[in-house]
């Protein structure tokens, strides 16, 4: 009984790391652009499917593929921001609205492109199927490895944001674009960097997650909602909050799955989603996000 | 008017041709027409919430799917005919939108957009897991006997809804929707309940979506979760409105027809690539042509929206206004309320550790003008927000017309006659001068005749009548301020809060405002005016109250207060000799 509980606890916390990486990229993009990238989930799926192809064609393990996939998505993100979203010149709510609509169109472009390349069947990478025995608790190797990498990357990005000049510029732009521009920062460059980095994190997360749960091209929309729920729960643009939310959601899902079955587990994210909208739109730690 | 005949003639012809083709055309043609009309309907519904109120929804397909399921169940289990099923479905759509809108339309647009995105997925999960809906395999119902009949009815319904939407944009509600979209805070100040206006729009939009779903299931006779909550429907709907022109009645019609043709062609030749093309097109339009086809047409002067209730504005004004301000109607002096019209006691507002307003008390009597002055950051505008219900005081109370009013919503106070302007003008970019004033007068007067008469009278009084059909950004800054004051006067204010209203005005405009204010005061209106242009306000101010660091530092008649050394110090700082003495 107690062993089961602790096993679930460890599993939930590890899942939290994976969720964090999925959501952190979106948080970064939201922070700087003030817009949720509706294609974020499709980027995650694209990253996973790319890793799948690297694995099946070149026998590249997801650990090796991870940086490659992230780099690819970084480039895609750069192209999307530089070539398209940046051309929306309107400022304020109108600009945000148009960006949102553009990413809505983008999500269909990305998911349909993935569909044309990989078809509609579920894909997965069998990798690190064993488990590590820690005392009485058996931890799946794949989950442990993915989670550690995810935590590491999230931590690195966070450190970069808070400790380097470049990262601080991104942070400053997130807090006030106008202020950052007045201080002589190149907002265009910073936006492109943030969008590309956020996309790279999505791709990287996809490469890890596809070893844990199978992907289909149409999974993207669900992942976008998931990632949005996490950053909304944590308070949009709040990094500590997002981590807390990721852990909570990981635990909730693992426990729900064990006690109520997998159907309930896939519905639980939506219950949390509605709960956030109704009760805490400002997030766990955030300020009130009302009009 | 000639243009009106042209656009309605074209629309009538289009509908007549479509009805003819639907009745007599081949099965294939009729089915194509059905789909196109269905999408025009869905796009019109989406446009009501996202175009008219500016709340973008990514889940309009939820109501389509819900309507389809409810109609299917009504046909199966209640033996309802198609029209009965459609009515039940529409009601179900509204029934879901009402509580949902009440919650989600209080939030920022992004939460609403994503909330609706998630809703479609939640409903899809529910439809796949219930037994009554047939689970993931779906369910079949009795299909319409003839596709021609189906298409005929669909075209008729879509045309009716388009006409009804047009009527909506010409109505009081339409005016409010556009005002809320442009600036919901200014709309509140004009007496509009922004939240309930949005909820009503959402319900209408949901009802339209559900009707479409019901007719769809009657047409195809089969329904499963994947097709009921199909994301491609959402994508096409949004693309149609964007392509045609968001926020305009004709946009969804134009876009609906064009994109239907395109996506039918795509489906026939490139079924696999359909989404990629539609998605890319959505991106392209959002980036390079946000106003759609209609904005290009508008630039040529065609299909422009005409001012609401704008017929004969000049004639009305001539009949109402030129008797001069003294003759304007208002309560005779004998029934003027006595004593304080508005007062507050020990009012404080803290933002974190900063006390923006710190224990301010003030009183303004009916028919008098109290000027508030003070250096930048003295807490003047925050004080106004507390008085007018836009912010809640941390401490203290506000009394208006003998009642404690803290906690009342701004639009409630505005309708009771507590009207205000803003430090930076808040006007509605897409509403004309006439509509801006009409918005306020129509939130007060239930009768259209009274509301238009009042609005015309006020425009004549402040001499904006010649610009009645102009948009605010074409006016010089002084006239924009004037328009904002006109909007407050249309609320028949008992107390007027003016926040630096005369900044940027010419001498002539200042004189006009002074006259309008004197007329309002003669009717018993009390005025509190924050002002930096002292010569503009001093001649008509009974008293001046000076704020600094959130607290009152001086108070009294203008001539005395302006010579008070404390006041001079607050504005100019300590004199240099004194400062030098301090150092020494």
């Amino acid at each position: 009984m107690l062993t089961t509980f602790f096993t679930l606890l460890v599993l939930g916390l590890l899942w939290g790391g994976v969720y964090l990486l999925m959501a952190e990229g979106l948080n970064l993009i939201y922070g700087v652009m003030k817009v949720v990238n509706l294609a974020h989930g499709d980027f995650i799926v694209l990253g996973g499917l790319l890793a799948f192809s690297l694995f099946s064609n070149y026998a590249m393990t997801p650990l090796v593929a991870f940086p490659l996939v992230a780099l690819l998505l970084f480039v895609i993100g750069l192209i999307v921001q530089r070539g398209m979203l940046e051309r929306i010149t309107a400022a304020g709510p109108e600009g945000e609205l148009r960006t949102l609509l553009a990413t809505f169109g983008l999500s269909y472009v990305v998911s349909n492109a993935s569909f044309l390349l990989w078809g509609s069947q579920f894909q997965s990478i069998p990798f690190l199927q064993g488990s590590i025995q820690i005392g009485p608790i058996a931890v799946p190797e794949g989950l442990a490895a993915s989670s550690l990498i995810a935590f590491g990357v999230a931590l690195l990005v966070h450190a970069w944001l808070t400790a380097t000049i470049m990262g601080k510029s991104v942070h400053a732009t997130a807090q006030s674009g106008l202020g950052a521009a007045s201080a002589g920062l190149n907002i265009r460059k910073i936006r492109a960097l943030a969008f590309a980095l956020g996309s790279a994190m999505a791709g990287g997360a996809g490469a890890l997650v596809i070893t844990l749960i199978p992907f289909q091209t149409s999974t993207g929309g669900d992942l976008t909602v998931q990632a949005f729920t996490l950053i909304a729960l944590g308070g949009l643009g709040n990094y500590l909050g997002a981590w807390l939310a990721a852990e909570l959601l990981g635990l909730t899902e693992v426990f729900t799955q064990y006690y109520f079955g997998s159907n309930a587990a896939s519905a639980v994210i939506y219950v949390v989603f509605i709960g956030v909208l109704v009760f805490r739109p400002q997030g766990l730690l955030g300020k009130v996000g009302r009009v | 008017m000639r243009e009106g005949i042209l656009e309605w003639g074209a629309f009538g012809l289009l509908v007549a041709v479509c009805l003819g083709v639907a009745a007599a055309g081949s099965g294939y043609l009729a089915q194509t027409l059905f789909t196109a009309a269905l999408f025009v309907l869905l796009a019109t519904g989406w446009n009501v919430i996202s175009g008219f109120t500016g709340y973008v929804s990514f889940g309009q397909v939820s109501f389509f799917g819900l309507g389809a399921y409810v109609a299917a169940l009504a046909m199966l289990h209640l033996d309802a005919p198609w029209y009965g099923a459609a009515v039940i479905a529409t009601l179900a759509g509204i029934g879901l939108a009402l509580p949902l809108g009440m919650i989600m339309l209080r939030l920022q647009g992004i939460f609403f957009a994503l909330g609706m995105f998630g809703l479609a997925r939640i409903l899809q999960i529910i439809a796949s897991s219930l037994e009554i809906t047939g689970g993931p395999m779906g369910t079949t119902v009795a299909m319409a006997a003839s596709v021609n009949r189906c298409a005929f009815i669909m075209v008729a319904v879509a045309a009716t809804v388009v006409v009804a939407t047009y009527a909506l944009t010409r109505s009081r509600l339409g005016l409010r929707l556009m005002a809320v979209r442009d600036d919901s805070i200014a709309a509140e100040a004009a007496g509009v309940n922004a939240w309930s206006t949005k909820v009503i729009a959402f319900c209408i939009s949901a009802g339209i979506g559900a009707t479409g779903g019901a007719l769809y299931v009657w047409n195809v006779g089969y329904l499963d979760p994947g097709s009921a909550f199909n994301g491609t429907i959402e994508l096409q709907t949004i693309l149609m409105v964007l392509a045609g022109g968001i926020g305009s009645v004709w946009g969804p019609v134009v876009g609906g027809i064009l994109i239907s043709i395109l996506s039918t062609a795509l489906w026939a030749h490139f079924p696999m690539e359909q989404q990629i093309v539609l998605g890319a097109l959505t991106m392209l339009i959002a980036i390079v042509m946000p106003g759609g086809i209609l904005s290009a047409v508008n630039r040529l002067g065609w299909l422009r929206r005409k001012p609401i209730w704008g017929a004969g504005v000049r004639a009305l004004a001539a009949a109402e206004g030129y008797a001069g301000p003294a003759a304007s109607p208002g309560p005779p002096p004998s029934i003027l309320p006595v004593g304080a019209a508005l007062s507050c006691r020990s009012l404080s507002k803290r933002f974190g550790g900063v006390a923006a307003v710190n224990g301010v008390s003030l009183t303004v009597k009916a028919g008098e003008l109290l000027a508030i002055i003070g250096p930048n950051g003295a807490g003047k505008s925050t004080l106004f927000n507390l008085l007018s219900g836009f912010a809640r005081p941390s401490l203290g109370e506000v009394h208006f017309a003998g009642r404690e009013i803290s906690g009342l919503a701004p639009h409630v106070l505005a309708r009771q006659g507590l009207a205000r302007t803003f430090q930076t003008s808040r006007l509605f970019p897409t509403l004309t001068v006439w509509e801006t004033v009409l918005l306020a007068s129509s939130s007060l007067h239930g009768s259209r005749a009274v509301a238009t008469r009042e609005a015309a009278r006020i425009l004549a009084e402040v001499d904006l009548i010649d610009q009645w059909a102009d948009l605010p950004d074409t006016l010089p800054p002084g006239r924009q301020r004037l328009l904002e004051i006109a909007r407050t006067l249309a609320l028949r204010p008992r107390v007027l809060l003016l926040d630096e209203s005369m900044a940027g005005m010419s001498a002539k405009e200042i004189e006009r405002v002074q006259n309008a204010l004197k007329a309002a005061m003669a009717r018993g209106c009390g005025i509190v005016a924050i002002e930096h242009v002292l010569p503009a306000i001093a001649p008509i101010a009974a008293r001046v109250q000076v704020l600094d660091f959130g607290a009152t530092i001086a108070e009294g008649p203008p001539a005395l207060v302006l010579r008070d050394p404390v006041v001079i110090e607050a504005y100019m700082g300590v004199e240099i000799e004194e400062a030098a003495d301090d150092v020494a």
Side-chain angles (χ1 to χ4, degrees):
Chain A
M1 189 61 211
L2 206 62
T3 314
T4 313
F5 178 81
F6 277 111
T7 308
L8 292 176
L9 192 69
V10 171
L11 288 182
L13 290 175
L14 288 176
W15 263 111
V18 178
Y19 280 137
L20 179 64
L21 192 60
M22 289 209 280
E24 201 76 333
L26 192 63
N27 219 2
L28 189 65
I29 291 171
Y30 179 86
V32 173
M33 315 266 297
K34 297 294 168 243
V35 160
V36 171
N37 173 19
L38 287 175
H40 194 77
D42 301 295
F43 278 165
I44 297 177
V45 172
L46 179 64
L49 292 173
L50 280 171
F52 168 78
S53 283
L54 289 174
F55 176 78
S56 50
N57 294 337
Y58 306 102
M60 229 179 250
T61 68
L63 295 185
V64 182
F66 179 86
L68 256 177
V69 170
L71 189 67
L72 262 171
L73 265 289
F74 186 92
V75 173
I76 292 176
L78 207 60
I79 293 170
V80 167
Q81 172 62 20
R82 273 263 139 120
M84 298 174 230
L85 300 183
E86 190 190 271
R87 287 169 205 275
I88 297 173
T89 45
E94 206 219 318
E96 285 161 19
L97 185 89
R98 283 167 59 188
T99 312
L100 197 63
L101 285 167
T103 65
F104 176 72
L106 178 66
S107 80
Y108 283 89
V109 173
V110 175
S111 72
N112 198 191
S114 304
F115 165 75
L116 292 175
L117 290 170
W118 284 281
S120 63
Q121 58 275 55
F122 278 99
Q123 309 287 15
S124 182
I125 303 177
F127 173 67
L128 292 180
Q129 311 262 304
S131 62
I132 316 161
Q133 200 71 29
I134 306 171
I137 300 169
V139 178
E141 282 171 5
L143 179 61
S146 301
S147 183
L148 283 181
I149 295 173
F151 269 126
V153 171
L155 219 64
L156 266 177
V157 171
H158 192 75
W160 176 75
L161 275 176
T162 46
T164 68
I165 292 290
M166 200 63 217
K168 277 187 178 169
S169 321
V170 173
H171 221 125
T173 310
Q175 286 178 6
S176 164
L178 191 65
S182 326
L185 296 180
N186 184 345
I187 300 293
R188 265 182 69 211
K189 218 163 126 190
I190 290 166
R191 289 224 166 109
L193 182 65
F195 196 91
L197 196 61
S199 307
M201 288 168 87
L208 297 179
V209 176
I210 198 167
T211 65
L212 307 172
I213 41 171
F215 275 169
Q216 192 192 8
T217 48
S218 62
T219 318
D222 292 312
L223 293 177
T224 302
V225 173
Q226 243 175 52
F228 174 75
T229 308
L230 281 173
I231 65 170
L233 185 63
L236 290 176
N238 184 329
Y239 298 94
L240 183 66
W243 175 67
L244 209 65
E247 290 300 1
L248 269 178
L249 199 76
L251 288 171
T252 313
E253 188 157 307
V254 166
F255 275 89
T256 314
Q257 174 139 21
Y258 184 80
Y259 289 107
F260 302 98
S262 63
N263 264 344
S266 64
V268 79
I269 180 87
Y270 291 105
V271 177
V272 175
F273 176 67
I274 296 169
V276 171
L277 289 181
V278 175
F279 298 108
R280 281 202 79 80
Q282 72 274 39
L284 287 173
L285 308 175
K287 293 200 189 87
V288 180
R290 298 194 171 198
V291 197
Chain B
M1 209 54 226
R2 198 175 50 84
E3 281 172 45
I5 291 169
L6 216 63
E7 75 192 49
W8 283 106
F11 182 67
L13 192 69
L14 176 74
V15 173
V17 169
C18 288
L19 285 175
V21 172
S26 70
Y28 175 77
L29 257 182
Q31 186 56 39
T32 309
L33 205 57
F34 176 90
T35 311
L38 173 65
F39 273 111
V40 169
L41 181 76
L42 294 178
T44 302
W46 187 79
N47 195 30
V48 170
I49 182 69
S50 301
F52 296 156
T53 55
Y55 265 71
V56 167
S57 155
F58 291 113
Q60 186 65 11
V61 72
S62 309
F63 297 110
F64 171 84
L66 177 78
Y69 267 107
V70 169
L73 293 177
M75 288 182 196
L76 283 175
H77 299 284
L78 305 174
D79 279 330
W82 67 268
Y83 47 88
V87 170
I88 296 173
T90 306
L91 292 177
I94 296 171
L96 175 64
L98 186 65
L100 214 59
M102 287 169 74
I103 295 165
M104 295 208 298
L105 289 168
R106 282 189 187 281
L107 308 174
Q108 281 172 353
I110 180 71
F111 286 98
F112 176 78
L114 268 293
M116 292 298 296
F117 191 76
L119 178 70
R121 282 158 199 284
I122 296 169
L123 291 183
Q124 188 170 352
I125 292 179
I126 294 174
S128 337
S129 49
L130 289 184
E131 206 159 307
I132 191 166
T133 55
M137 298 314 290
T139 183
T140 51
V141 295
M143 201 168 134
S146 112
V147 68
N148 288 88
R149 180 154 174 258
C150 223
F152 188 87
I153 287 164
M154 188 70 236
V155 171
V157 169
T160 311
V161 168
V162 170
V163 174
T165 313
Y166 180 82
L168 171 76
T169 61
R170 311 298 305 157
S171 72
R172 202 182 292 259
L173 178 61
L175 183 59
R176 286 180 188 164
L177 288 177
M178 288 182 274
V180 168
R181 173 190 61 193
D182 283 3
D183 188 337
S184 73
I185 288 178
E188 285 270 335
V192 175
N193 184 340
W195 174 64
S196 73
T197 306
K198 287 183 281 192
V199 172
I200 293 170
F202 187 47
C203 288
I204 295 173
S205 146
I208 296 174
T211 311
L215 293 174
Y216 166 82
V217 73
W218 178 54
N219 174 250
V220 298
Y222 166 78
L223 195 64
D224 68 301
S227 59
F229 301 102
N230 187 349
T232 313
I233 296 179
E234 187 69 39
L235 174 65
Q236 290 194 48
T237 304
I238 293 178
L239 174 57
M240 282 168 185
V241 181
L242 285 182
I246 189 167
S248 125
V249 179
W250 303 116
V253 180
V254 174
I257 294 168
L258 288 180
I259 302 299
S260 285
I261 295 171
L262 175 72
S263 62
T264 309
L266 281 175
W267 186 245
H269 301 290
F270 304 99
M272 296 300 206
E273 294 84 2
Q274 191 200 22
Q275 283 195 355
I276 216 169
V277 177
L278 297 178
L281 210 52
T282 305
M283 287 191 79
L284 192 72
I285 293 175
I287 293 168
V288 300
M289 201 176 66
I293 294 165
L294 276 197
S295 73
V297 175
N298 282 344
R299 238 171 273 142
L300 297 173
W302 299 335
L303 293 178
R304 277 209 188 123
R305 196 176 66 79
K306 285 167 239 8
I308 296 174
W309 299 355
V313 169
R314 278 167 197 279
L316 261 180
E320 288 291 326
Y322 286 121
S328 1
S334 59
I335 61 158
L336 282 182
V338 282
L342 178 77
S343 66
C344 67
R345 212 170 330 128
S346 324
L347 211 55
S348 296
K349 177 72 180 177
R350 305 189 146 272
F351 295 107
V354 182
V357 172
N358 197 1
V360 170
S361 301
L362 67 77
T363 301
V364 63
K365 295 196 207 80
E368 101 173 330
L369 191 148
L370 170 69
I372 306 251
I373 63 171
N376 290 333
K380 304 183 297 288
S381 291
T382 305
L383 176 66
F384 265 26
N385 285 341
L386 298 176
L387 293 177
S388 58
F390 282 94
R392 293 192 81 138
S394 316
L395 269 178
E397 41 190 55
V398 184
H399 289 267
F400 170 58
R403 284 201 302 143
E404 151 75 341
I405 56 161
S406 5
L408 288 184
H411 68 268
V412 175
L413 294 173
R415 284 185 197 188
Q416 289 176 4
L418 181 56
R420 71 167 293 181
T421 66
F422 295 89
Q423 189 178 6
T424 21
S425 304
R426 300 193 83 129
L427 293 165
F428 309 105
T430 67
L431 297 192
T432 58
V433 167
W434 163 249
E435 288 167 321
T436 305
V437 179
L438 182 67
L439 176 77
S441 75
S442 72
S443 69
L444 199 62
H445 306 286
S447 142
R448 174 174 163 175
V450 178
T452 47
R453 214 165 52 221
E454 271 286 296
R457 182 181 66 74
I458 286 158
L459 281 187
E461 187 176 317
V462 299
D463 195 25
L464 272 171
I465 198 72
D466 289 331
Q467 282 100 0
W468 73 276
D470 291 351
L471 291 175
D473 61 0
T474 64
L475 301 177
R479 305 230 120 200
Q480 293 184 6
R481 294 273 181 195
L482 204 57
L483 177 57
E484 225 189 349
I485 294 174
R487 185 174 69 199
T488 61
L489 291 176
L491 290 165
R492 290 216 159 197
R494 286 196 270 186
V495 170
L496 204 49
L497 305 175
L498 302 178
D499 199 343
E500 295 187 30
S501 277
M502 298 196 221
M505 278 191 183
S506 69
K508 209 173 156 208
E509 284 161 345
I510 287 179
E511 192 192 328
R512 205 167 286 133
V513 172
Q514 283 181 347
N515 284 337
L517 295 185
K518 278 188 217 156
M521 280 150 69
R523 290 197 290 269
C525 176
I527 300 174
V528 186
I530 294 174
E531 201 53 74
H532 282 310
V533 189
L534 289 176
I537 207 75
I540 53 171
R543 287 180 297 126
V544 177
Q545 191 162 341
V546 187
L547 292 193
D548 196 16
F549 293 112
T552 305
I553 57 168
E555 200 176 352
L560 286 180
V561 167
L562 297 182
R563 272 197 290 273
D564 189 328
V566 181
V567 176
I568 295 169
E569 188 187 312
Y571 266 92
M572 312 290 181
V574 187
E575 273 185 49
I576 295 169
E577 290 95 313
E578 269 178 57
D581 287 349
D582 286 350
V583 174

